[in-house]
Amino acid sequence: MYTLYYSPGAASMCVHLALLETNAPHELILVDLAAGQQRDPAYLKLNPNGVVPTLLIGGKPFYEAAAALMTIAERQPEGKLAPPVDSLARAAWNQWIVHLANTLQPAFRLWFYPQDIAADSAIQVVAKAAAQRKIEAAWDRLEAHLAVNGPYMLGDKPSAADLMLIMLMRWSRNMPKPVTEWPTLAVYASLMKSRPSWKRLYKVEGLTEWS
Ligand SMILES: N[C@@H](CCC(=O)N[C@@H](CS)C(=O)NCC(=O)O)C(=O)O
C-alpha cells in the first residue's frame, strides 16, 4: 500500500500517474501548499525539504518525485513502466528520467519560485528569464529527440520517463511560449493526454487546465 502526499498538478503528478498506470493500491493525502501545510512540523518529519511529493511505502517516507516514480515502476512491474534491468532501453530510461530531473525540473522550480534565490524583484526577473531560456532549450532538444526516436521517449512504448515529461510539459502551459508550440511535442502531448491514467488523474486531482 502506498500513500502519496500530493498537491494538484504539482511534482507529485508523475508519481500519481505511475500509481494509476500500475493499478497499485494507494491513498492520497492532499497537502495545501497555499496554506503552507508543506511546512507543518508533522509534514517536515516526513519530508524535511518541505515540498511535495512524499511517498510512504509501508509507512516509510521517501521524497524526490523522480526517485518515487522510478521506485513505483520497479516495484510494480505489471505496469511495464520500466524496461528490463539489463537492457539498453533501461540505460536510456535512467538517462532520461535523471536528465529531466536535473535540467527541466530545476528550471521550472526557478520559473515558479524565483524567490528561492533572492527577495529582490529585479533579480527575480533575471532568474525567470534564465529559467525560460533553459526550458525552451530543453524543448528544442526533446523535440529533436522525439522527431527521430518517438513517438515515446524510449520509442514505441510509453514508460515512466513519459510520465515525468508530460508533467513537466504541462507546467509550461501559461509560459510565453508553451511547449505545444513545438510541433512534435504537441503531438506527443495529445498522445499522453489520451491515456486513461491522465483522465483519471484530472478527475481525482480536480484539474481542468490543459486537459
Ligand atoms: N526536487 C523535488 C521538488 C519538489 C517541489 O519543488 N515541489 C513543489 C511543487 S511542484 C512544492 O512542494 N512547492 C512548495 C514549496 O516550495 O513551498 C521533487 O522532485 O520532489
Side-chain angles (χ1 to χ4, degrees):
M1 175 73 169
Y2 298 96
T3 302
L4 177 64
Y5 288 78
Y6 83 106
S7 169
S12 43
M13 189 176 183
C14 62
V15 185
H16 191 184
L17 282 173
L19 291 168
L20 294 171
E21 286 275 346
T22 57
N23 259 325
H26 64 275
E27 60 172 356
L28 299 171
I29 298 183
L30 179 67
V31 179
D32 185 342
L33 297 183
Q37 284 180 351
Q38 70 276 30
R39 291 184 292 275
D40 281 356
Y43 186 74
L44 290 174
K45 280 195 184 144
L46 302 175
N47 186 333
N49 304 313
V51 292
V52 290
T54 302
L55 181 69
L56 304 190
I57 307 177
K60 186 168 166 45
F62 295 90
Y63 48 79
E64 288 300 337
L69 172 64
M70 293 166 106
T71 298
I72 292 166
E74 288 167 345
R75 288 171 53 96
Q76 308 295 142
E78 64 279 11
K80 297 192 179 0
L81 291 179
V85 175
D86 57 353
S87 65
L88 291 182
R90 183 58 164 259
W93 184 82
N94 288 328
Q95 169 197 287
W96 282 117
I97 295 177
V98 173
H99 177 72
L100 294 173
N102 272 339
T103 57
L104 265 170
Q105 202 186 347
F108 271 112
R109 175 82 204 183
L110 194 55
W111 173 259
F112 287 119
Y113 299 91
Q115 67 276 18
D116 277 358
I117 59 161
D120 183 325
S121 60
I123 296 176
Q124 291 183 12
V125 169
V126 174
K128 285 195 75 154
Q132 187 183 338
R133 273 197 307 278
K134 279 177 178 289
I135 291 165
E136 292 179 3
W139 298 149
D140 286 343
R141 292 191 301 267
L142 287 160
E143 171 80 9
H145 169 72
L146 284 174
V148 175
N149 304 292
Y152 300 103
M153 289 293 279
L154 300 185
D156 59 348
K157 290 192 196 77
S159 75
D162 298 291
L163 305 183
M164 178 123 193
L165 178 57
I166 193 66
M167 172 187 83
L168 295 165
M169 288 171 65
R170 183 178 181 276
W171 292 354
S172 78
R173 67 195 181 281
N174 295 318
M175 290 186 72
K177 194 172 171 192
V179 71
T180 40
E181 293 196 22
W182 279 258
T184 307
L185 287 167
V187 172
Y188 173 85
S190 307
L191 194 59
M192 291 304 294
K193 287 184 199 177
S194 70
R195 297 186 72 74
S197 63
W198 182 264
K199 294 178 197 303
R200 178 77 190 141
L201 179 141
Y202 259 65
K203 206 172 150 96
V204 174
E205 295 200 0
L207 297 176
T208 51
E209 273 184 78
W210 216 68
S211 58

